[in-house]
């Protein structure tokens, strides 16, 4: 089998990588010219293997990673801090500030330049120089290989047994995927990284493993790689578009009738519908309050409006138990489970958006999903539960969400409207309900910024690029 076709080792360490590859045409298209070895922590489940098995695929499970009391993670955190300051990234700092807010229940969080010790100021001074980053990369890699010698040996034996011609990584920042990819790098196996999501380069920890090739969504992601990593050559970065938006462009295979979908959700087909994309509580604790204000206004004005609340995959449904679905004004989209690779989740996402009139959220990716499906989207950036000087207020932090690198273009280009109060939110909702095409030009520009092709063929381009890379390697060897 291996002699006739190249063997690709495809690492799928997270839910989103599984659905991006198995619920598009990518796997089937790769199998036309290659055999596949899938390695994933989910491969320890027989039901998972039975669900996805096909001729030409073998499955392997990641080895259990002993993080030695998070010793390696501590070094990753140091590297993460230095890199974010060096690269002037906003997103990781904002995430830390939110986590600090949750821990202390205070909004008195200072910027990086405030209240620093002399030691920290000196540390940040030296960060400006590339040597600091180089030293930390060297220490992280050396210490990892020393303290994780056993698992590296296990992966060396596995890779020697599998004998892959090429390796594709999808989430090398995930802790249990790092040992595998460091071994791939050590054994000098040709490889490529597909950047799964538009926020992965700026919001995830820095790469500690480097690849011969990179495949990204768009030019923004390409420029982020070039800016942050001086050792990555522009010629080695290819743009193919987002795999996950192939579902949206080919939505007909997932759509059910509005009558059937609203019957399932116990909603009125004749009412206008708002899709509210909830975030997890720690990142958007004011979600419930915003919805309660919307419900109160809907009742007061007696408008024919209803709300679908689409839960984040990692959200806790208990936070929503006070909402009464019997009022026929709201319905929860319950398919957003932690098993994001379940096909029903994609069906739910597409039908929730397609059959709604607009989306509302606090900086979540469902706004971009909405744009891809031709629906107006609104971001809200306020927390009016408390006064601004109240330590419980989330207002400052919710506004700062929109300084995150991957979110800035959504607002700057104009595809998603940003509102700063409930009155602004409700007025914008009314504008869009009365004229859904009000902002269509900016929506189209924004779509093409994130998905430069907008044709539903990102998977086809991905496979074409992989085949070209493998063929060029063969040509060099010959």
């Amino acid at each position: 089998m291996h002699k006739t076709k190249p063997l690709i080792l495809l690492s799928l360490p997270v839910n989103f990588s599984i659905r991006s590859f198995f619920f598009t045409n990518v796997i089937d298209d790769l199998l036309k010219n290659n055999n596949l070895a899938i390695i994933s922590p989910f491969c320890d489940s027989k039901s998972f293997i039975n669900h996805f098995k096909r001729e030409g695929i073998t499955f392997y499970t990641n080895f259990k990673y002993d993080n030695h009391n998070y010793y390696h993670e501590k070094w990753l955190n140091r590297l993460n801090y230095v890199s974010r300051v060096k690269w002037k990234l906003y997103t990781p700092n904002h995430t830390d500030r939110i986590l600090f807010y949750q821990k202390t229940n205070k909004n008195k969080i200072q910027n990086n330049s405030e209240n620093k010790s002399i030691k920290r100021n000196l540390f940040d001074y030296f960060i400006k120089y590339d040597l600091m980053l180089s030293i930390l990369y060297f220490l992280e890699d050396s210490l990892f290989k020393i303290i994780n010698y056993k698992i590296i040996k296990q992966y060396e034996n596995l890779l020697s047994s599998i004998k892959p011609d090429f390796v594709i990584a999808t989430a090398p920042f995930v802790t249990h995927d790092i040992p595998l990819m460091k071994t791939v790098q050590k054994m000098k196996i040709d490889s490529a990284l597909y950047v799964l999501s538009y926020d992965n380069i700026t919001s995830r920890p820095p790469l500690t493993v480097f690849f011969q090739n990179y495949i990204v969504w768009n030019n923004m992601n390409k420029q982020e790689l070039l800016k942050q990593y001086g050792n990555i050559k522009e010629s080695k970065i290819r743009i193919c578009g987002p795999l996950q938006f192939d579902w949206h462009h080919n939505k007909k295979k997932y759509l059910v009738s509005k009558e059937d979908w609203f019957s399932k959700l116990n909603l009125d087909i004749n009412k206008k519908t708002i899709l509210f994309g909830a975030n997890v509580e720690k990142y958007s604790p004011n979600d419930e309050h915003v919805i309660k204000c919307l419900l109160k206004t809907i009742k007061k004005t007696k408008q024919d409006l209803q709300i679908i609340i689409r839960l984040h995959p990692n959200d806790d449904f208990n936070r929503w138990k006070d909402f009464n679905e019997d009022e026929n004004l709201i319905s929860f989209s319950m398919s957003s489970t932690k098993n994001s690779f379940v096909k029903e989740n994609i069906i739910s996402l597409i039908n929730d958006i397609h059959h709604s009139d607009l989306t509302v959220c606090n900086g979540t990716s469902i706004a971009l999903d909405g744009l891809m499906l031709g629906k107006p989207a609104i971001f809200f950036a306020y927390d009016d539960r408390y006064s601004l000087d109240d330590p419980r207020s989330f207002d400052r932090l919710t506004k700062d969400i929109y300084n995150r690198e991957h979110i800035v273009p959504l607002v700057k280009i104009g595809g998603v409207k940003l509102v700063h109060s409930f009155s602004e939110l409700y007025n914008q909702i009314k504008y869009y309900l009365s004229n859904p095409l009000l902002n269509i030009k900016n929506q189209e520009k924004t779509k093409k910024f994130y998905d430069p092709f907008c044709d539903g063929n990102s998977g086809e381009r991905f496979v074409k690029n992989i085949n070209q890379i493998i063929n060029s390697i063969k040509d060099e060897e010959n």
Side-chain angles (χ1 to χ4, degrees):
M1 181 175 73
H2 186 191
K3 293 179 181 178
T4 57
K5 290 183 179 181
L7 177 61
I8 297 174
L9 178 66
L10 174 59
S11 177
L12 303 175
V14 294
N15 290 338
F16 292 102
S17 59
I18 290 166
R19 69 178 193 170
S20 290
F21 280 77
F22 274 104
F23 292 123
T24 58
N25 294 326
V26 172
I27 295 295
D28 290 332
D29 287 348
L30 281 173
L31 285 170
K32 291 175 183 177
N33 296 295
N34 310 278
N35 290 308
L36 293 178
I38 305 291
I39 186 164
S40 171
F42 300 104
C43 290
D44 64 356
S45 165
K46 287 184 179 179
S47 61
F48 176 87
I49 294 175
N50 289 334
H51 187 72
F52 291 116
K53 66 181 180 181
R54 291 165 213 189
E55 186 178 351
I57 300 181
T58 52
F59 294 90
Y60 300 90
T61 306
N62 291 86
F63 295 113
K64 187 176 181 181
Y65 176 43
D66 181 2
N67 205 11
H68 293 274
N69 297 318
Y70 302 101
Y71 185 71
H72 176 244
E73 192 169 312
K74 290 176 184 176
W75 277 98
L76 275 180
N77 289 337
R78 291 185 178 105
L79 179 58
N80 195 19
Y81 174 79
V82 171
S83 62
R84 73 176 67 162
V85 175
K86 171 72 177 173
W87 298 328
K88 298 179 181 178
L89 295 181
Y90 189 90
T91 297
N93 289 325
H94 181 252
T95 302
D96 282 353
R97 291 166 65 224
I98 288 179
L99 296 176
F100 181 75
Y101 166 85
Q102 294 295 327
K103 187 183 295 185
T104 62
N105 200 28
K106 294 179 181 178
N107 202 24
K108 298 176 181 177
I109 302 168
Q110 306 298 324
N111 292 325
N112 281 342
S113 59
E114 299 172 358
N115 290 346
K116 286 183 179 175
S117 65
I118 294 174
K119 183 179 178 181
R120 175 59 62 84
N121 279 317
L122 285 171
F123 186 62
D124 282 0
Y125 174 79
F126 285 107
I127 286 174
K128 293 187 297 183
Y129 300 97
D130 291 336
L131 180 61
M132 172 73 81
L133 203 54
S134 299
I135 291 171
L136 279 174
Y137 264 114
F138 174 78
L139 288 173
E140 180 276 329
D141 188 57
S142 300
L143 288 169
F144 179 88
K145 288 174 181 175
I146 292 170
I147 64 178
N148 293 288
Y149 172 79
K150 184 177 179 181
I151 194 170
I152 289 177
K153 196 67 181 173
Q154 287 176 309
Y155 276 121
E156 283 180 347
N157 292 335
L158 179 65
L159 291 169
S160 297
S161 172
I162 298 173
K163 295 182 172 59
D165 298 291
F166 196 76
V167 175
I168 301 174
T170 56
F173 47 79
V174 176
T175 306
H176 58 257
D177 201 49
I178 293 174
L180 170 61
M181 291 307 153
K182 282 189 177 290
T183 310
V184 168
Q185 183 175 262
K186 179 183 178 184
M187 295 178 70
K188 297 181 179 179
I189 302 172
D190 291 299
S191 60
L193 167 63
Y194 172 68
V195 179
L196 264 182
S197 182
Y198 66 115
D199 67 333
N200 281 181
I201 300 170
T202 55
S203 68
R204 298 293 188 176
L207 292 174
T208 59
V209 181
F210 294 94
F211 305 84
Q212 287 85 5
N213 304 274
Y214 299 83
I215 303 177
V216 298
W217 280 26
N218 49 47
N219 189 59
M220 176 183 77
N221 293 151
K222 177 180 178 178
Q223 296 307 319
E224 287 169 343
L225 281 176
L226 293 173
K227 174 187 174 184
Q228 294 174 210
Y229 303 101
N231 58 335
I232 296 178
K233 296 179 181 178
E234 186 174 2
S235 61
K236 297 300 182 181
I237 305 174
R238 300 168 183 239
I239 296 173
C240 79
L243 298 184
Q244 68 190 59
F245 290 154
D246 281 3
W247 315 320
H248 298 343
H249 296 297
N250 301 296
K251 63 185 178 183
K252 288 183 179 179
K253 67 169 70 173
Y254 299 106
L255 282 177
V256 301
S257 69
K258 187 173 183 179
E259 290 84 355
D260 289 343
W261 194 251
F262 275 29
S263 174
K264 178 182 177 180
L265 295 178
N266 196 28
L267 293 172
D268 188 339
I269 193 174
N270 296 311
K271 287 184 177 181
K272 297 287 186 180
T273 304
I274 300 167
L275 176 61
F276 188 97
N279 205 335
V280 291
E281 186 173 12
K282 67 181 179 182
Y283 292 126
S284 193
N286 51 326
D287 277 351
E288 302 106 303
H289 176 71
V290 173
I291 294 174
K292 286 176 181 177
C293 291
L294 281 171
L295 290 172
K296 183 178 178 180
T297 305
I298 290 170
K299 291 175 187 175
K300 185 178 178 180
T301 58
K302 297 182 179 180
Q303 281 198 290
D304 284 337
L305 265 175
Q306 57 194 357
I307 304 172
I308 298 174
I309 303 173
R310 184 172 178 82
L311 301 183
H312 189 280
N314 296 321
D315 204 0
D316 180 4
F317 184 70
N318 287 327
R319 89 187 256 216
W320 303 97
K321 61 185 179 183
D322 293 336
F323 286 82
N324 184 4
E325 290 189 271
D326 295 333
E327 296 180 81
N328 293 324
L329 291 177
I330 63 169
S331 179
F332 288 96
S333 181
M334 299 298 294
S335 295
S336 296
T337 64
K338 291 185 179 180
N339 291 326
S340 299
F341 52 79
V342 176
K343 188 174 182 179
E344 284 69 25
N345 186 270
I346 300 170
I347 294 171
S348 171
L349 173 67
I350 290 176
N351 282 278
D352 281 350
I353 296 173
H354 180 77
H355 296 308
S356 297
D357 294 282
L358 57 90
T359 64
V360 174
C361 64
N362 184 15
T364 67
S365 60
I366 201 167
L368 186 53
D369 286 300
L371 294 186
M372 292 297 162
L373 287 166
K375 300 294 178 176
I378 305 171
F379 283 147
F380 62 89
Y382 67 89
D383 180 10
D384 57 5
R385 295 174 299 167
Y386 314 106
S387 63
L388 295 181
D389 58 352
D390 190 311
R392 295 172 295 177
S393 174
F394 197 73
D395 189 79
R396 174 181 170 184
L397 289 175
T398 198
K399 285 179 169 57
D400 284 352
I401 284 174
Y402 301 97
N403 290 321
R404 300 178 75 171
E405 286 82 6
H406 60 284
I407 294 179
V408 167
L410 285 164
V411 177
K412 188 174 181 180
I413 298 171
V416 183
K417 290 295 182 181
L418 181 64
V419 299
H420 297 89
S421 67
F422 178 75
S423 61
E424 285 186 22
L425 172 62
Y426 195 66
N427 285 333
Q428 192 63 52
I429 289 172
K430 289 193 296 183
Y431 294 152
Y432 276 141
L433 292 177
S434 62
N435 184 4
L437 300 179
L438 182 68
N439 193 36
I440 190 67
K441 288 184 179 180
N442 287 331
Q443 288 170 212
E444 290 299 317
K445 287 181 186 176
T446 307
K447 280 172 59 176
K448 289 180 179 178
F449 179 85
Y450 287 93
D451 182 355
F453 305 99
C454 285
D455 59 1
N457 295 321
S458 295
E460 185 179 317
R461 275 184 295 276
F462 173 84
V463 173
K464 184 178 179 181
N465 278 304
I466 292 296
N467 287 335
Q468 286 176 349
I469 293 167
I470 293 175
N471 288 334
S472 67
I473 294 170
K474 284 182 184 177
D475 291 341
E476 289 176 8
E477 289 175 349
N478 295 331

